[in-house]
C-alpha cells in the first residue's frame, strides 16, 4: 500500500532513450517506464518531471573490459528494477549524456494500471540475471506489459515475436503493432 500510494499512478508511458556510443551497454539505446502521478501543478498542468521512472538495468560489478563483456553476454550481472523520480532519469539521459527521450503513452485500463503498479512492487524484490543481448531492458519492459495486459487484447504475448538479439527499438516496434496500446 505504501508503494502504491507513493507511485499514485494515473497512467503509464514507455520511454525510449536514444543511442549513446560512449557506453557500450547503451549503444542501442535504453527503454524504461514512466508512471504518471496523480498530481496537478501550477495552472492545472501535469508536472511530468515529478512522475516515477521505472527501469531495469544491470548491476555492474567490474571495471575490467573483458569481464564486462563476458558477464554481460552470459548473465553474469544481476538485473535490478528501480523506481526513481522521473527527473533523475531526465538528468541522467538528457542532461548528463545529451540523449533524446521519446515518450509513448500507453492506453491501459484502470485494472491493467493497478496490476502494473502491483507487479512493479513485486519486481523490486526480483532476483534476475541481466543479458545484454536478450534479457535486457527492452525485453523486460515488454515482459512486464505482457504480464498485466488483459487477455481480451489482440496479442498480449508481446515477447513472443522478438528476435534473439533484442534492442530497445524492438520495444517500440512491438508496442506500435498492438492496436490501441500506444
Amino acid at each position: 500500500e505504501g508503494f502504491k500510494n507513493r507511485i499514485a499512478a494515473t497512467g503509464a508511458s514507455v520511454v525510449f532513450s536514444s543511442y549513446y556510443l560512449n557506453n557500450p551497454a547503451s549503444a542501442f539505446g535504453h527503454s524504461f517506464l514512466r508512471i504518471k502521478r496523480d498530481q496537478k501543478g501550477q495552472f492545472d498542468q501535469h508536472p511530468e518531471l515529478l512522475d516515477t521512472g521505472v527501469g531495469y538495468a544491470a548491476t555492474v560489478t567490474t571495471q575490467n573490459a573483458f569481464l564486462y563483456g563476458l558477464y554481460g553476454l552470459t548473465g553474469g550481472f544481476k538485473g535490478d528494477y528501480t523506481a526513481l523520480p522521473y527527473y533523475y532519469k531526465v538528468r541522467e539521459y538528457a542532461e548528463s549524456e545529451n540523449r533524446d527521450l521519446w515518450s509513448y503513452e500507453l492506453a491501459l485500463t484502470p485494472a491493467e494500471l493497478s496490476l502494473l503498479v502491483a507487479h512493479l512492487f513485486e519486481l523490486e524484490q526480483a532476483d534476475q540475471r541481466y543479458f545484454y543481448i536478450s534479457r535486457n531492458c527492452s525485453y523486460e519492459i515488454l515482459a512486464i506489459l505482457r504480464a498485466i495486459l488483459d487477455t481480451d487484447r489482440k496479442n498480449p504475448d508481446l515477447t513472443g515475436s522478438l528476435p534473439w538479439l533484442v534492442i530497445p527499438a524492438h520495444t517500440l516496434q512491438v508496442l506500435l503493432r498492438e492496436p490501441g496500446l500506444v
Side-chain angles (χ1 to χ4, degrees):
E1 287 300 314
F3 181 82
K4 180 181 172 184
N5 293 335
R6 181 169 52 99
I7 298 292
T10 61
S13 299
V14 170
V15 179
F16 173 75
S17 175
S18 63
Y19 314 104
Y20 185 61
L21 297 178
N22 287 348
N23 180 352
S26 297
F28 296 103
H30 184 66
S31 54
F32 60 95
L33 292 171
R34 179 176 59 85
I35 308 299
K36 186 176 178 182
R37 292 176 53 94
D38 181 20
Q39 58 191 359
K40 292 284 184 192
Q42 189 175 13
F43 309 114
D44 286 333
Q45 293 181 343
H46 176 78
E48 184 177 288
L49 291 176
L50 298 179
D51 290 344
T52 301
V54 178
Y56 179 74
T59 301
V60 178
T61 57
T62 183
Q63 297 298 319
N64 180 302
F66 175 76
L67 291 177
Y68 181 85
L70 179 67
Y71 291 171
L73 292 172
T74 62
F77 293 128
K78 183 177 185 287
D80 288 311
Y81 292 91
T82 56
L84 299 168
Y86 184 62
Y87 61 83
Y88 282 121
K89 295 288 192 184
V90 170
R91 188 180 320 152
E92 175 185 358
Y93 294 115
E95 295 175 11
S96 297
E97 298 175 356
N98 206 25
R99 296 163 74 175
D100 292 327
L101 296 174
W102 288 281
S103 187
Y104 299 84
E105 191 164 344
L106 299 171
L108 300 178
T109 67
E112 289 170 335
L113 186 60
S114 178
L115 192 55
L116 173 63
V117 172
H119 192 45
L120 292 174
F121 176 74
E122 292 175 323
L123 289 174
E124 277 195 322
Q125 312 304 315
D127 186 13
Q128 293 181 221
R129 307 315 296 168
Y130 194 99
F131 295 85
Y132 283 143
I133 63 173
S134 58
R135 298 292 299 261
N136 53 27
C137 62
S138 185
Y139 180 91
E140 292 301 325
I141 294 302
L142 290 172
I144 289 169
L145 295 174
R146 179 190 68 204
I148 61 105
L149 289 178
D150 285 338
T151 56
D152 62 349
R153 289 193 186 257
K154 180 181 170 220
N155 181 20
D157 183 15
L158 301 175
T159 58
S161 64
L162 291 172
W164 68 272
L165 172 64
V166 181
I167 61 174
H170 291 142
T171 304
L172 303 177
Q173 291 171 347
V174 169
L175 292 176
L176 291 171
R177 261 188 258 139
E178 180 64 30
L181 183 56
V182 176

